DNA sequence: GCGACATACGAGGTATGAAT
DNA sequence: ATTCATACCTCGTATGTCGC
C-alpha cells in the first residue's frame, strides 16, 4: 500500500484490496500525524474522529461497490443489461458509465460524512495562504463558493485537508475500473473556508509570487498538477512542468496544456526549502511527488532509492 | 426562494511501455 | 533516442432536491 502511494500516488487493485488499503492508509497517516505534530487533546480527538468517519465511509463504499459489481456481473451473464448514452443499465438503474475509450466507472450513491480535521500545521495565515493558493491554482475546485477537492490519491486527501482544515463534507463518488484493478474517487468540500480565487486569479498569483522569489504556492501547485517525471529526475534532467488550461499565465508553454515553470536542480531545491513544516507532513504521508522533489535534491536519498530499486529488480528477475 | 447537499454528465491530453 | 499505441483518470459545471 505505501509502495503504491510513494511511487504512483493512486491505490489500484482488486476491490477487496483497494478499500482495506485506503483504510490502512488512513489509520497509518492519522497515527503518524498524531505522533509528529503537537496537538491538544481536543485536536487529537478531532483527528481520530476524522479517522473513524473516513473508515466508516470506506467500509460502506466497499460494501456498495461489491454489491454493484455483483449486480453488473449478474446482469451481463443473464443478459438483462442494456447500453445507452454511454451508460450500462442494469435492472436497478445505472450500473456503470462506459464511455468509449475511457476507463469505466461505477457511481457510488449516498455514501457521505460530515467531519472535522484539526489545524495540525498551525501556520500563521501568511504561511498558510500560499499553500492554499497553489492548491487552488491546480486541483482545487469551487463548489457553491467553497473549496473542494476530488482525488484518487490518499496522500492528497491529507495534504489538501491540512491546508483547508476545519469542517468537511466527504463523499465517495465512484469506483474506476482500470486494467490494473479498481481505484476509488473521493470528493471533499471544505466548509470552513470561502473560495476566494478563480482558477485564473490563483494562477496569476502563483506566477507573481514566484517572480518575487516565493516558491511556496508553486510547491502545492506542483503537488496538484505537476508532472511527476521520476525517471527524468533520476537521470539528472530537472524540469518543473505543470499542467494548466492556460499555461501562458505561468511561463513558457509546452504544447497547449503544459507550462515549463522552471528548470535546474536549484528549482527543486527552492521548492523543497519552501515547504517548511508542510514538508514534515509530506514526508510522513510518503507522497510520491514529494519523494520526487527529494530525489532531485538529496544525493544520499537518491543513492539509497536507486539501490533499493535495483534490489527490487533482482528479486523480480 | 435560498443555501447546502447530492447527483449527472461531458470532456482529451498525457503517462507508459513497446516497437523501431 | 524517438515514435507509436493504448490505457489512463481528472476536472468542471449544470441541475436536482430537501429543509428552512
Amino acid at each position: 500500500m505505501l509502495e503504491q502511494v510513494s511511487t504512483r500516488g493512486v491505490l489500484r487493485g482488486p476491490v477487496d484490496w483497494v478499500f482495506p488499503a485506503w483504510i490502512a492508509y488512513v489509520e497509518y497517516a492519522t497515527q503518524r500525524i498524531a505522533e509528529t505534530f503537537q496537538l491538544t487533546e481536543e485536536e487529537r480527538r478531532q483527528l481520530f474522529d476524522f479517522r473513524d468517519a473516513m473508515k466508516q465511509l470506506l467500509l460502506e463504499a466497499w460494501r456498495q461497490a461489491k454489491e454493484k459489481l455483483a449486480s453488473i456481473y449478474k446482469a451481463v451473464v443473464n443478459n438483462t443489461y442494456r447500453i445507452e448514452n454511454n451508460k450500462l443499465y442494469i435492472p436497478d438503474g445505472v450500473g456503470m458509465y462506459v464511455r468509449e475509450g475511457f476507463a469505466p466507472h461505477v457511481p457510488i450513491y449516498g455514501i457521505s460524512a460530515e467531519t472535522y480535521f484539526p489545524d495540525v500545521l498551525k501556520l500563521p495565515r501568511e504561511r498558510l495562504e500560499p499553500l492554499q493558493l497553489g492548491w487552488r491554482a491546480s486541483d482545487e475546485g469551487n463548489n457553491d463558493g467553497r473549496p473542494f477537492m476530488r482525488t484518487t490519491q490518499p496522500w492528497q486527501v491529507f495534504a489538501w485537508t491540512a491546508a483547508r482544515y476545519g469542517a468537511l463534507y466527504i463523499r465517495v463518488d465512484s469506483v474506476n475500473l482500470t486494467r490494473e484493478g479498481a481505484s476509488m474517487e473521493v470528493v471533499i468540500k471544505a466548509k470552513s473556508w470561502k473560495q476566494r480565487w478563480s482558477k485564473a486569479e490563483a494562477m496569476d498569483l502563483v506566477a507573481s509570487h514566484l517572480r518575487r522569489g516565493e516558491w511556496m504556492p508553486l510547491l502545492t501547485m506542483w503537488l496538484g498538477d505537476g508532472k511527476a517525471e521520476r525517471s527524468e529526475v533520476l537521470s539528472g534532467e530537472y524540469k518543473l512542468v505543470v499542467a494548466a488550461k492556460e499555461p501562458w499565465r505561468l511561463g513558457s508553454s509546452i504544447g497547449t496544456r503544459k507550462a515549463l515553470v522552471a528548470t535546474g536542480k536549484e528549482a527543486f531545491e527552492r521548492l523543497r526549502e519552501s515547504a517548511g513544516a508542510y514538508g514534515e507532513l509530506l514526508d510522513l504521508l510518503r507522497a510520491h511527488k514529494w519523494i520526487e522533489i527529494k530525489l532531485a535534491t538529496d544525493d544520499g536519498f537518491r543513492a539509497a532509492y536507486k539501490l533499493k530499486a535495483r534490489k527490487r529488480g533482482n528479486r523480480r528477475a
Side-chain angles (χ1 to χ4, degrees):
Chain A
M1 172 272 286
L2 281 179
E3 178 162 349
Q4 287 200 15
V5 171
S6 53
T7 53
R8 246 196 337 220
V10 185
L11 292 179
R12 283 202 293 246
V15 169
D16 284 338
W17 180 83
V18 166
F19 285 92
W22 263 86
I23 291 170
Y25 185 82
V26 167
E27 285 175 339
Y28 160 83
T30 46
Q31 189 57 40
R32 295 282 291 115
I33 287 169
E35 290 162 9
T36 306
F37 295 93
Q38 284 288 330
L39 301 178
T40 65
E41 270 314 301
E42 173 71 1
E43 287 164 344
R44 283 176 68 85
R45 194 184 56 69
Q46 288 166 347
L47 181 66
F48 293 131
D49 278 354
F50 171 84
R51 174 195 64 192
D52 294 342
M54 282 295 287
K55 279 169 67 174
Q56 184 61 31
L57 201 68
L58 291 163
L59 285 170
E60 286 173 19
W62 183 11
R63 196 179 317 130
Q64 187 177 128
K66 284 191 77 161
E67 265 171 30
K68 281 198 93 162
L69 288 170
S71 330
I72 291 165
Y73 177 78
K74 203 171 130 205
V76 170
V77 167
N78 299 336
N79 208 28
T80 54
Y81 73 96
R82 65 177 212 283
I83 292 176
E84 253 171 52
N85 303 323
N86 298 331
K87 292 186 279 288
L88 184 151
Y89 291 90
I90 57 177
D92 339 332
V94 175
M96 60 181 171
Y97 291 85
V98 288
R99 192 171 147 224
E100 185 85 34
F102 296 79
H105 66 274
V106 178
I108 299 291
Y109 295 131
I111 310 290
S112 66
E114 307 233 354
T115 178
Y116 194 93
F117 196 84
D119 177 12
V120 299
L121 298 170
K122 299 200 172 56
L123 296 171
R125 189 54 66 99
E126 69 272 14
R127 298 276 296 156
L128 181 64
E129 255 182 29
L131 291 178
Q132 296 176 339
L133 186 61
W135 280 115
R136 175 54 178 140
S138 55
D139 282 350
E140 184 182 285
N142 172 36
N143 194 259
D144 294 335
R146 305 281 181 203
F148 87 102
M149 171 85 169
R150 173 163 17 191
T151 186
T152 55
Q153 305 185 13
W155 72 264
Q156 283 194 335
V157 168
F158 288 89
W160 180 78
T161 303
R164 291 292 195 183
Y165 58 83
L168 301 172
Y169 166 78
I170 308 182
R171 210 170 73 78
V172 176
D173 190 68
S174 63
V175 171
N176 296 316
L177 303 178
T178 77
R179 217 171 57 156
E180 284 182 68
S183 67
M184 190 207 78
E185 234 175 275
V186 64
V187 180
I188 313 175
K189 183 155 112 178
K191 300 205 299 176
S192 297
W193 299 87
K194 281 224 161 68
Q195 185 54 271
R196 294 167 44 208
W197 307 293
S198 72
K199 193 65 98 188
E201 274 165 2
M203 286 172 69
D204 289 345
L205 283 167
V206 170
S208 65
H209 275 80
L210 191 61
R211 281 196 294 273
R212 295 200 303 269
E214 291 166 26
W215 287 72
M216 210 173 181
L218 184 62
L219 172 67
T220 40
M221 183 171 192
W222 192 80
L223 290 175
D225 278 343
K227 293 293 129 208
E229 285 166 344
R230 186 165 296 191
S231 56
E232 294 201 355
V233 162
L234 287 173
S235 60
E237 208 180 326
Y238 302 108
K239 284 189 286 195
L240 277 176
V241 177
V242 176
K245 219 176 222 162
E246 302 173 314
W248 64 88
R249 289 180 189 277
L250 293 166
S252 59
S253 306
I254 311 175
T256 52
R257 307 274 298 194
K258 281 193 293 186
L260 178 63
V261 184
T263 56
K265 195 171 175 174
E266 315 75 51
F268 283 84
E269 276 161 6
R270 295 294 91 75
L271 273 193
R272 185 174 186 180
E273 291 160 8
S274 73
Y278 201 55
E280 284 182 56
L281 178 67
L282 296 171
D283 265 336
L284 71 85
L285 292 178
R286 315 268 186 116
H288 73 298
K289 286 184 179 170
W290 176 244
I291 287 172
E292 189 169 318
I293 292 176
K294 294 210 293 182
L295 286 171
T297 53
D298 183 332
D299 293 340
F301 188 75
R302 181 167 57 232
Y305 176 87
K306 283 188 170 170
L307 196 65
K308 235 164 65 189
R310 191 161 335 125
K311 273 193 195 140
R312 269 202 301 276
N314 288 341
R315 264 211 307 278
R316 282 200 196 103

